[in-house]
Amino acid sequence: MADEFIKGFGILTAGGLAWMVLSGWYTTPSFEETQLVAEIPGNLDTYGQAAIVLREVLFWFTILGVVTFWIVLPALEELREASS
């Protein structure tokens, strides 16, 4: 169980940090306004659009990875042990 926790924590840390960096670059217009979740600017070049796509992928990777390693896999292990 400890290795599932650390895998989920690694995903949470790495994916969350990368998401925050990309969000800080592209969706923080100023420090006085909304930060990290503001509107995506409309005048992005190809690399900016790819970064926004990567930002979305990292968000879902982080959420689904943590849920998988912290909830789904331990629940399946408990079910397997209970049925034996």
Side-chain angles (χ1 to χ4, degrees):
M1 291 294 227
D3 61 332
E4 278 92 4
F5 174 78
I6 201 65
K7 288 175 187 174
F9 189 69
I11 288 172
L12 178 66
T13 304
L17 177 64
W19 180 86
M20 286 193 324
V21 167
L22 290 173
S23 294
W25 285 344
Y26 291 100
T27 58
T28 300
S30 72
F31 290 110
E32 290 82 26
E33 298 176 22
T34 304
Q35 297 180 11
L36 301 179
V37 292
E39 268 192 51
I40 298 169
N43 57 351
L44 294 176
D45 59 351
T46 304
Y47 291 115
Q49 292 173 359
I52 295 299
V53 170
L54 179 62
R55 176 181 169 256
E56 294 298 318
V57 168
L58 285 168
F59 176 79
W60 287 109
F61 170 73
T62 302
I63 298 298
L64 295 175
V66 167
V67 167
T68 299
F69 282 104
W70 287 357
I71 297 172
V72 174
L73 292 178
L76 290 174
E77 183 68 26
E78 289 293 322
L79 285 173
R80 191 173 61 112
E81 287 177 6
S83 67
S84 296

